[in-house]
Amino acid sequence: MEYTIQEQVLPERKAQLAREILEALPEWFGIPESTAAYVEGCKALPFAALYHGEDAVGFCALKQTASQAGELYVLGILPNLHRKGGGRMLMSWAEGYARKAGWKLLQVKTLDALARSAEYDRTREFYHAMGFLDLECFPTLWDEKNPCLVLVKPL
């Protein structure tokens, strides 16, 4: 598959793209309040959209969390394009952005294996393949049904 990346600058366009992609991923983003917070948060963050031809098919947003560290705030790709290279392309953009910004560490939060989810098993497998390491599980950071795993990647 051939993809292109476009860094989005208009806040409303970032929110629109995030909303469209996240709504297509209910197995991962099925809590409306949480999804709305991600969409709103994307407006003010560094943001890259993944295109296949003229169509936006994925995106990611980054958030600086400390002077030399940041977070992969949210990443999503349309389900029919999972495992087709788009996630790797977005991660490459994210790591490049982070390095240019002087970050030495990138983190991501996802659902821990304690929750037993086939979708999130694949998510953790992806992050591990991208070089992320499990750091710590916070069993109640989000809520008791959604234990949060923090993964980190040295840059």
Side-chain angles (χ1 to χ4, degrees):
M1 288 237 131
E2 285 208 25
Y3 299 107
T4 57
I5 296 262
Q6 292 182 11
E7 291 187 30
Q8 302 294 317
V9 292
L10 297 175
E12 291 307 319
R13 180 64 177 148
K14 292 177 188 181
Q16 177 189 4
L17 290 173
R19 185 178 306 105
E20 289 171 2
I21 302 297
L22 296 181
E23 286 177 355
L25 298 165
E27 293 86 356
W28 288 268
F29 298 95
I31 302 170
E33 301 81 12
S34 175
T35 301
Y38 280 124
V39 168
E40 187 63 26
C42 283
K43 290 180 179 180
L45 297 174
F47 185 100
L50 181 72
Y51 283 83
H52 177 61
E54 298 293 316
D55 300 320
V57 297
F59 76 97
C60 72
L62 299 174
K63 179 180 180 182
Q64 189 164 1
T65 57
S67 64
Q68 294 186 325
E71 176 179 17
L72 183 62
Y73 177 70
V74 63
L75 181 147
I77 296 177
L78 293 177
N80 62 321
L81 294 175
H82 287 184
R83 299 184 165 284
K84 298 198 180 339
R88 287 183 181 275
M89 192 166 182
L90 285 169
M91 284 302 307
S92 178
W93 173 85
E95 290 175 23
Y97 182 96
R99 284 185 180 103
K100 286 179 196 165
W103 300 355
K104 304 294 183 207
L105 192 65
L106 189 60
Q107 70 165 309
V108 65
K109 295 180 185 97
T110 194
L111 192 65
D112 189 80
L114 293 170
R116 299 182 193 239
S117 161
E119 291 83 13
Y120 278 97
D121 288 348
R122 292 195 320 264
T123 298
R124 288 186 303 278
E125 182 181 304
F126 168 74
Y127 287 127
H128 291 148
M130 296 293 99
F132 282 84
L133 306 169
D134 295 3
L135 179 66
E136 187 171 357
C137 175
F138 294 92
T140 58
L141 181 67
W142 292 326
D143 63 49
E144 290 181 11
K145 294 179 185 175
N146 294 294
C148 174
L149 175 64
V150 176
L151 300 101
V152 294
K153 180 175 184 174
L155 297 173

